[in-house]
Amino acid sequence: MENDKVRIHDKNFKIFITRDEIKARVNEMGWEVTKKYKDLKPVFVPILNGSFMFAADFVRACHFDSDMMFVKVKSYEGMSSTGNIKWELGFSGHIKGRHIIIVEDIIDSGNTLKNFIEEIKEEEPASVAIVSLLLKPDAIKHDIPMDYIGFRIPNAFVVGYGLDYDDFGRTLPDIYQLDED
Ligand code: 5GP
Ligand code: MG
């Protein structure tokens, strides 16, 4: 059973999406993706660190043969929309001709994904789709394909289920929202 309120580091958070709600939605998303990918043997590419928990649940909600290769943001050189993002790729040479499903925890401005889509297209995949558990529709700044979205949420900071606040809160099984009161 989840707690209604948690204190993480120096801030208060309140329950926002429970583990049961996450599980139900992840299962729905899995079946939806299964319809399209069941004969394609796609490669899941989770963007670390935030998506580790979602990715682990999501691949088990998908009912087809697949592979998984991780990527990590190595450094942001300025977080502006033109910011130079560097990637630590774990898959050189294994992407060409494969169907890619990028797995994200949350899409905020869309900077990270816009940059990564450009990066991964250089590996000549057969196709690229995006699965994100969360999307903040009011924050998005780029026109990026959003194929499968779990929950559309308001522009408030969230933690838990892989998402961190300064490296804290990642292991919480539920998602919490910053409590400003
Ligand atoms: P974007 O590049 O789309 O602006 O942001 C993407 C990344 O910012 C996400 O993958 C996530 O790591 C981080 N982020 C954006 N919004 C939130 C939030 O509300 N909570 C947490 N913990 N991370 C966020
Ligand atoms: Mg992330």
Side-chain angles (χ1 to χ4, degrees):
M1 202 24 214
E2 64 278 357
N3 291 317
D4 284 351
K5 302 208 175 233
V6 289
R7 187 163 176 85
I8 300 167
H9 199 35
D10 59 352
K11 289 198 163 49
N12 295 318
F13 291 83
K14 59 190 174 197
I15 189 76
F16 182 50
I17 309 174
T18 67
R19 66 196 73 183
D20 291 345
E21 291 166 335
I22 296 168
K23 190 174 179 188
R25 185 67 187 121
V26 169
N27 281 331
E28 279 176 6
M29 293 168 81
W31 283 113
E32 214 183 312
V33 170
T34 299
K35 274 190 257 163
K36 180 158 174 197
Y37 284 90
K38 60 184 186 319
D39 302 316
L40 298 178
K41 200 181 184 198
V43 182
F44 292 106
V45 180
I47 300 182
L48 296 173
N49 299 321
S51 66
F52 85 94
M53 203 177 280
F54 172 50
D57 286 341
F58 184 68
V59 291
R60 288 176 292 178
C62 289
H63 305 276
F64 48 76
D65 205 7
S66 63
D67 291 303
M68 183 179 267
M69 303 176 197
F70 294 96
V71 294
K72 196 174 157 81
V73 178
K74 214 156 65 178
S75 63
Y76 284 92
E77 290 168 16
M79 281 280 289
S80 67
S81 46
T82 54
N84 186 6
I85 301 172
K86 292 225 163 65
W87 294 94
E88 201 172 300
L89 308 174
F91 50 68
S92 186
H94 299 295
I95 292 292
K96 193 171 178 175
R98 301 289 302 271
H99 294 275
I100 304 304
I101 303 176
I102 300 171
V103 182
E104 254 292 34
D105 48 355
I106 184 164
I107 304 173
D108 189 14
S109 69
N111 287 342
T112 309
L113 271 175
K114 181 177 181 283
N115 187 284
F116 185 61
I117 290 166
E118 285 164 15
E119 182 84 21
I120 204 163
K121 282 195 168 157
E122 293 188 8
E123 310 274 332
E124 300 175 56
S127 68
V128 178
I130 294 169
V131 175
S132 181
L133 181 67
L134 305 173
L135 166 70
K136 292 178 177 170
D138 298 335
I140 190 101
K141 285 193 281 182
H142 302 284
D143 186 22
I144 48 174
M146 283 173 284
D147 305 272
Y148 305 95
I149 299 294
F151 300 92
R152 287 173 170 75
I153 65 168
N155 243 347
F157 191 77
V158 291
V159 290
Y161 197 67
L163 291 132
D164 70 308
Y165 167 46
D166 275 357
D167 284 327
F168 295 103
R170 262 192 222 290
T171 57
L172 291 165
D174 310 280
I175 296 175
Y176 290 82
Q177 189 181 55
L178 188 61
D179 191 358
E180 314 261 26
D181 321 327

